[in-house]
């Protein structure tokens, strides 16, 4: 059954209603090109920002209901195109993070330092702004005299980061992993930055490449102080962001079909025929489109293109990044910690990687705090399959134990837990190269967007999804002689970082390092 009337052709079909797909759809609809958006999930749009079944439990003679989501996401200082999208189409008042806690554990020793505001301080310029941690007395408890022996290796790594832009240069250097970054570092300092890498790339350390780590450091923190400044949505992702985006799209004439999974693409004289599995009707449907935008996660895009006779041959030449699983654990307590910064990073021997105090962010959890005096926290696990496969009871025990280690005044106050195991769709980030799928695909009138799609911008995650979403919409607009939207670049590197970077790039031109060194490391 076709989705349109006889002889009707959709101007654009967007496959995937995640952040990238909805961003592209809104920018098209605002210019008068109303797209059809296909979403495989039967209930929720949003992809990795999607909602879920509410978490309900009884406490204090009252039934409590809390929204569920894939996990808390932050908008960082470099998320310029995502912020522009929110300003164009929605009215969202973001919550500024006052600081970010760094909690490190070795054995029974736990150290805590609020590091975010120190890094953003206006004392030292990037890339030396991390030295501002030295003026925090608690920071000295996290390092040992031996760590100063890492200084030469640390400086080499910093210079490599400043003078090598993997995304703009299109160099993935496959085979070189993050561990190469820490050659000559002491175990303590190495463990700290491994934790940083896991948090920046939401992946276990075994799955983080060297170039992905360098790209993340450059985008989030190394080149500009203000890029390390997170803001949070004022409610769960579905309520605050995705549902309003869908409502705005429909108000502009667009349409989202839920439970619709694209099975194959077939090129026709008039564009593309999209074959769709309809979960609601339990059958196959079809749609004819002049142009198509792929807004899928990498594994799903690989399957669709391989299953389509008109795209399979070219798709076989492309490199698709893998997908990763993640797990979030939410814990409710009858007490609130006395010193609880809104969010933070867990490193060292902690099993979980970061945390977010939900009662400082979202209305439902704020009501829990106001009524019970308690608190609620969300923990993220970027682990291996073995770690993600732990039984619920084991994972909850680990989570409660780690929270109580980090915040001892919560001992004996645990109330309830909820676990969300996310499917293997999170991008294992790989720097896009010539053999990656880019916004302009090898297929006529087919464009792509997503956090793994190639485009000339050194951005990651939600910002990359929005950037490529706007870029994909622009390709359609330009082909129809419509005015495209501006695509902004992340904030410029600081003056000192730019000058040092220029010197390093000049040295690379003359000496061929550090890329020659990296190639030698890859051969080992």
């Amino acid at each position: 059954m076709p989705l349109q009337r006889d002889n009707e052709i959709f101007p654009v079909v967007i496959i995937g209603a995640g952040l990238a797909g909805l961003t592209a759809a809104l920018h098209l609809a605002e210019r008068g090109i109303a797209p059809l958006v296909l979403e495989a999930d039967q209930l929720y749009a949003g992809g990795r920002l999607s909602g879920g079944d509410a978490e309900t439990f009884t406490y204090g003679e009252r039934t409590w209901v809390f929204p569920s989501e894939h996990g808390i996401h932050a908008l960082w200082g470099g998320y310029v195109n995502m912020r522009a999208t929110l300003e164009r189409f929605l009215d969202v008042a973001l919550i500024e993070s006052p600081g970010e806690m760094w909690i490190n554990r070795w054995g029974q020793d736990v150290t805590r330092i609020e590091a975010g505001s120190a890094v953003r301080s206006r004392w030292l310029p990037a890339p030396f702004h991390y030295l501002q941690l030295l003026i925090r007395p608690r920071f000295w408890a996290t390092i040992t005299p031996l760590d100063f022996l890492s200084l030469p290796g640390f400086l080499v790594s910093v210079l490599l980061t400043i003078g090598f832009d993997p995304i703009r240069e299109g160099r993935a250097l496959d085979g070189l992993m993050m561990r190469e970054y820490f050659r000559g570092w002491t175990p303590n300092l190495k463990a700290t930055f491994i934790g940083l890498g896991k948090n920046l790339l939401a992946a276990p350390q075994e799955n983080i490449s060297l170039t992905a780590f360098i790209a993340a450091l450059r985008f989030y923190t190394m080149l500009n102080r203000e890029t390390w400044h997170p803001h949070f949505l004022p409610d769960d992702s579905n309520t605050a962001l995705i549902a309003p985006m869908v409502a705005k799209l429909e108000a502009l004439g667009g349409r989202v079909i839920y439970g619709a999974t694209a099975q194959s693409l077939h090129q026709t004289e008039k564009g593309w025929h999209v074959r769709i599995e309809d979960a609601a009707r339990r059958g196959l449907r079809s749609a004819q489109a002049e142009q198509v935008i792929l807004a899928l996660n990498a594994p799903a895009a690989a399957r669709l293109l391989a299953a389509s006779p008109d795209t399979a041959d070219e798709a076989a030449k492309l490199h698709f990044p893998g997908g990763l699983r993640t797990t979030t654990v939410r814990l409710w307590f009858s007490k609130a910690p006395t010193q609880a910064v809104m969010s933070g990073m867990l490193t060292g021997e902690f099993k979980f990687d970061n945390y977010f105090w939900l009662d400082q962010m979202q209305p439902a959890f704020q009501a829990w705090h106001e009524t019970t005096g308690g608190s609620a926290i969300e923990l993220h696990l970027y682990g291996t399959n073995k770690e993600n496969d732990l039984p619920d009871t084991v994972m909850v025990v680990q989570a409660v134990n780690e929270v109580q280690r980090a915040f001892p005044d919560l001992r004996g106050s645990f109330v309830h837990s909820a676990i969300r195991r996310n499917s293997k769709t999170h991008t294992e980030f790989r720097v896009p190269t010539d053999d990656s799928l880019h916004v302009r695909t090898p297929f006529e009138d087919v464009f792509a967007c997503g956090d793994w799609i190639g485009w000339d911008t050194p951005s990651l995650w939600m910002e990359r999804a929005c950037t490529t979403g706007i870029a994909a919409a622009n390709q359609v607009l330009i082909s129809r002689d419509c005015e495209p939207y501006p695509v902004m670049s992340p904030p410029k590197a600081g003056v000192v970082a730019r000058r040092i970077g220029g010197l390093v790039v000049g040295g690379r031109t003359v000496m061929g390092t550090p890329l020659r060194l990296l190639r030698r490391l890859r051969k080992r």
Side-chain angles (χ1 to χ4, degrees):
M1 179 182 295
L3 288 170
Q4 67 264 55
R5 296 184 296 272
D6 292 342
N7 300 320
E8 180 186 11
I9 301 177
F10 289 105
V12 181
V13 167
I14 298 176
I15 304 175
L19 179 61
L22 291 176
T23 298
L26 282 171
H27 284 84
L28 288 173
E30 181 71 10
R31 290 284 194 262
I33 303 173
L36 173 69
V37 184
L38 306 177
E39 171 52 47
D41 192 285
Q42 297 185 52
L43 299 175
Y44 297 99
R48 297 200 301 278
L49 287 168
S50 64
D53 294 338
E55 181 65 24
T56 304
F57 64 91
T58 301
Y59 179 79
E61 299 181 352
R62 172 177 169 177
T63 298
W64 294 86
V65 180
F66 299 93
S68 175
E69 57 187 315
H70 178 279
I72 295 293
H73 299 265
L75 281 73
W76 296 83
Y79 283 28
V80 291
N81 287 299
M82 184 172 184
R83 292 171 189 265
T85 299
L86 298 183
E87 291 173 2
R88 287 184 190 121
F89 302 109
L90 306 178
D91 183 16
V92 179
L94 299 174
I95 302 173
E96 180 180 1
S97 172
E100 297 79 54
M101 185 71 77
W102 169 33
I103 306 178
N104 189 61
R105 179 171 79 88
W106 292 114
Q108 299 299 318
D109 296 328
V110 177
T111 56
R112 306 169 189 81
I113 177 173
E114 194 286 290
S117 61
V119 171
R120 293 192 290 273
S121 173
R122 298 186 180 278
W123 179 41
L124 287 176
F128 304 113
H129 49 314
Y130 273 92
L131 295 177
Q132 294 165 150
L133 290 171
L134 296 174
I135 65 174
R136 300 288 174 99
R138 292 187 177 183
F139 177 74
W140 292 96
T142 67
I143 60 176
T144 67
L146 187 64
D147 290 328
F148 288 97
L149 297 177
S150 296
L151 187 58
F154 178 81
L155 290 176
V156 169
S157 298
V158 169
L159 291 175
L160 172 63
T161 303
I162 296 172
F164 175 38
D165 188 342
I167 293 179
R168 286 211 186 279
E169 296 183 29
R171 295 177 180 267
L173 299 180
D174 293 326
L176 280 176
M177 305 307 290
M178 179 176 65
R179 61 179 177 270
E180 306 294 350
Y181 192 87
F182 308 118
R183 287 181 175 267
W185 291 34
T186 57
N188 183 52
L189 194 60
K190 184 188 303 183
T192 300
F193 271 75
I194 286 174
L196 179 62
K198 293 176 67 178
N199 277 275
L200 292 179
L201 291 154
Q205 59 176 308
E206 298 85 355
N207 293 82
I208 300 176
S209 69
L210 175 64
T211 49
F213 183 57
I214 292 174
L217 285 178
R218 289 177 59 89
F219 177 60
Y220 282 105
T221 182
M222 193 64 76
L223 303 182
N224 188 303
R225 287 187 306 241
E226 292 304 316
T227 52
W228 187 275
H229 195 175
H231 287 66
F232 297 97
L233 296 171
D235 211 330
D236 65 278
S237 300
N238 184 63
T239 301
L241 181 61
I242 299 303
M245 291 181 82
V246 172
K248 180 67 174 179
L249 174 63
E250 292 175 342
L252 292 171
R255 182 182 175 191
V256 178
I257 304 295
Y258 294 89
T261 303
Q263 296 294 308
S264 59
L265 302 173
H266 303 271
Q267 194 168 19
T268 68
E269 293 181 356
K270 298 180 179 180
W272 290 87
H273 183 86
V274 186
R275 191 166 178 262
I276 305 163
E277 181 181 357
D278 188 331
R281 295 176 179 269
R282 296 185 179 181
L284 296 177
R285 304 179 75 177
S286 64
Q288 183 70 30
E290 295 175 358
Q291 294 171 305
V292 171
I293 294 178
L294 302 177
L296 297 163
N297 60 63
R303 288 193 298 269
L304 174 62
L305 294 175
S308 306
D310 294 323
T311 62
D313 290 343
E314 286 295 328
K317 304 174 186 177
L318 298 176
H319 190 295
F320 293 87
L324 297 171
R325 298 164 58 193
T326 62
T327 301
T328 62
V329 178
R330 289 183 168 182
L331 305 175
W332 286 257
F333 296 90
S334 59
K335 296 179 182 178
T338 54
Q339 295 181 343
V341 179
M342 185 179 291
S343 63
M345 179 176 72
L346 302 170
T347 62
E349 294 182 353
F350 281 111
K351 301 295 184 184
F352 289 86
D353 297 294
N354 57 34
Y355 72 85
F356 305 88
W357 285 108
L358 301 175
D359 53 284
Q360 297 185 31
M361 299 180 182
Q362 299 182 8
F365 299 92
Q366 291 168 347
W368 167 264
H369 173 69
E370 293 168 0
T371 303
T372 68
S375 56
I377 192 172
E378 178 176 292
L379 301 169
H380 291 185
L381 174 66
Y382 307 129
T384 61
N385 286 334
K386 181 179 179 180
E387 292 168 327
N388 279 293
D389 283 336
L390 288 174
D392 286 3
T393 52
V394 175
M395 195 166 289
V396 168
V397 168
Q398 283 188 351
V400 173
N401 180 53
E402 298 207 339
V403 171
Q404 291 178 345
R405 281 180 180 271
F407 304 95
D409 43 351
L410 291 180
R411 287 173 179 156
S413 63
F414 169 67
V415 173
H416 183 73
S417 67
I419 294 180
R420 179 158 177 171
R421 300 178 185 272
N422 299 309
S423 58
K424 196 174 181 179
T425 57
H426 175 73
T427 302
E428 182 180 355
F429 187 77
R430 175 184 180 269
V431 171
T433 54
D434 290 342
D435 60 351
S436 299
L437 192 67
H438 289 249
V439 170
R440 303 184 190 94
T441 74
F443 319 112
E444 183 180 3
D445 287 323
V446 176
F447 308 102
C449 56
D451 62 13
W452 57 281
I453 296 297
W455 184 253
D456 185 25
T457 177
S459 59
L460 279 81
W461 304 137
M462 293 193 300
E463 173 63 11
R464 191 167 195 85
C466 288
T467 300
T468 55
I470 297 171
N474 281 346
Q475 300 304 306
V476 174
L477 295 173
I478 292 171
S479 71
R480 295 167 182 265
D481 296 324
C482 297
E483 181 185 359
Y485 291 85
V487 180
M488 295 178 285
S489 297
K492 289 184 178 179
V495 175
V496 175
R498 287 204 303 272
R499 290 179 178 175
I500 294 175
L503 291 174
V504 175
V505 171
R508 284 175 50 194
T509 302
V510 174
M511 303 176 62
T513 57
L515 293 184
R516 191 151 49 208
L517 172 62
L518 293 177
R519 292 190 188 100
R520 286 201 298 268
L521 290 173
R522 184 169 51 179
K523 291 177 181 178
R524 292 184 180 180

